[in-house]
Amino acid sequence: VWAYSKLDHSSPALFRKIAEVATFRVEEFSSQNISNIVWGYARAGHSSPILFDNAADLIINLSLTRSNEFSDQELTNIAWAYSTASHESSALFRRISTVALPRVHGFSSQAIANIAWAYAKQNHS
């Protein structure tokens, strides 16, 4: 998904099939896997609400016990993806805030700008 999106290659049938499979296996994904897949779907403009809902639940649950597994870039990419896809998840954005705020001083200026944009687009404060 990430590679297809990065190369601007559209394959709706492939994206639908991946979403179908990934939706039920999302709990097997690492923080990087989940970040890449939601980023890829958002960048490709391919909607998959069930996948995004399940991914949000996983991100919230993983971050409760293993918040350090999420890199600054992964947190930023996740926020960007949900905003770009116009997929609302207040609980996810609250959890990203909780994880990101204590270490925001280490974020790059680009990461700060991207996450601020994502929160503004979601009308989340």
Side-chain angles (χ1 to χ4, degrees):
V1 172
W2 178 90
Y4 270 72
S5 296
K6 189 77 170 159
L7 295 172
D8 292 322
H9 185 72
S10 179
S11 180
L14 177 65
F15 275 66
R16 278 192 303 276
K17 190 62 172 176
I18 290 171
E20 182 183 310
V21 173
T23 295
F24 299 104
R25 297 184 63 180
V26 75
E27 70 280 348
E28 299 172 24
F29 292 8
S30 69
S31 58
Q32 182 178 5
N33 296 149
I34 201 73
S35 171
N36 286 349
I37 200 165
V38 296
W39 181 91
Y41 273 76
R43 185 163 190 286
H46 191 87
S47 178
S48 183
I50 295 171
L51 176 62
F52 271 67
D53 286 343
N54 288 351
D57 291 343
L58 175 68
I59 294 162
I60 291 165
N61 290 333
L62 277 178
S63 68
L64 288 171
T65 58
R66 303 184 318 232
S67 63
N68 289 335
E69 284 187 26
F70 287 89
S71 72
D72 304 342
Q73 182 176 358
E74 289 164 356
L75 292 170
T76 302
N77 287 352
I78 290 165
W80 179 90
Y82 277 76
S83 292
T84 298
S86 297
H87 191 93
E88 294 186 22
S89 178
S90 295
L92 174 64
F93 275 78
R94 281 192 305 274
R95 190 64 200 146
I96 291 172
S97 294
T98 301
V99 173
L101 282 175
R103 57 189 203 201
V104 75
H105 63 280
F107 281 32
S108 69
S109 56
Q110 184 66 55
I112 293 169
N114 287 350
I115 209 162
W117 173 86
Y119 275 72
K121 189 167 186 301
Q122 288 277 327
N123 291 320
H124 193 77
S125 52

